[in-house]
Amino acid sequence: MDFQAGILQDGSPMESLEKQLICPICLEMFSKPVVILPCQHNLCRKCANDVFQAANPYWQSRGSVISGGRFRCPSCRHEVLLDRHGVYGLQRNLLVENIIDIYKQECSSRPLKKGEHPMCKEHEDERINIYCVTCEVPTCSMCKVFGAHKDCEVAPLQNIFQGQKTELNNCISMLVAGNDRIQTIISQLEDSCRSTEENSEAAKRELCARFDALTELLEEKKSELLQRITREQGDKTGFIQGLICQYKEQLEKSSRLVETAIQAMEETGGAAFLMVRPPNLPLQIVEASKGGRLEKIEHGYENMDAFSVSLDHLAEAVRSLDFDTAEEDEEYFDGEEEEVEE
């Protein structure tokens, strides 16, 4: 850490030191234990774990075999790769911990500064302590009495803070539950895709086994029927893969919203939270939670039972052999009757 640069700029060594000890996630002083990332930046272990969980929302639900994960450093965006221990596999920065202990001992008797609470831009000596319901912005008492919000409806800042934070927390829970449902649907679609491929391969093997028992006369017909199975397989798997891509895109979007919401939840101050939180974040979350309503496949879509033939006929009937289809048989016989009448 560059302590000397901060001392030259601010003129106060303790203030410069304090800026170097602020976590970029919670914006509070590092709490023990402090972890050091491969890019040499520091984070509170809890904050590192929150960022990691936001980037890997299903890391804890993978059973006993954990393969690790990855996230990006909030300071430099460097990608951090973790092993199966997660953030607990990162190295502790004992030097920073010792510096924090010394700093807290030196500053234990220092009074709080006015600037530690958000102040009104219009009235520099007034703290932001109320919320304008009409304009949906935090403000100060002077703005309500004499300023731009004198004709607006206001409410206690703490009440709005608690209400909106509770709403956002509920939205996060709803979004996480929606992500679980989407992941379940994706797994089912992947299983259906595998079943379609397996059933297609089984139908191919059965068809080949029956054609191999016949003479060379069956080879041309066998190739034709195999191509029809392959086309049907391609149509079905292509449709299912398209659905999988749609659900994965929805899952990625939801995960980004979860990460944004969790970062907003880290704000402990009412005014700071309301100033940082995007106003339309709950609406985005509610819209993203509807991802499970995307198109689904019908039950039994992966079955390939229609592509089955019976080869228990005479060799003279081989040239007219086809998959069992009642409508085609009726058209065939109708055509024969018309030829007879002509």
Side-chain angles (χ1 to χ4, degrees), residues 245-264:
C245 291
Q246 294 179 23
Y247 279 100
K248 285 185 176 180
E249 290 175 359
Q250 181 65 31
L251 180 61
E252 182 180 356
K253 178 180 178 182
S254 298
S255 299
R256 289 196 301 268
L257 287 176
V258 170
E259 181 178 356
T260 301
I262 290 176
Q263 290 178 355

Side-chain angles (χ1 to χ4, degrees), residues 104-167:
K104 288 182 177 180
Q105 292 175 4
E106 293 291 332
C107 301
S108 58
S109 60
R110 187 179 63 174
L112 293 176
K113 294 182 178 181
K114 180 177 66 175
E116 293 180 359
H117 188 280
M119 308 300 289
C120 180
K121 294 182 179 180
E122 299 295 331
H123 308 92
E124 296 181 356
D125 295 331
E126 293 293 327
R127 308 172 89 189
I128 294 179
N129 55 1
I130 60 175
Y131 185 81
C132 179
V133 179
T134 305
C135 302
E136 297 183 345
V137 293
T139 185
C140 72
S141 301
M142 295 297 292
C143 289
K144 171 58 181 172
V145 178
F146 305 106
H149 303 283
K150 62 181 180 180
D151 298 327
C152 299
E153 180 184 356
V154 298
L157 186 66
Q158 189 65 20
N159 293 350
I160 301 297
F161 161 67
Q162 292 294 340
Q164 292 196 12
K165 198 165 187 177
T166 300
E167 178 188 7

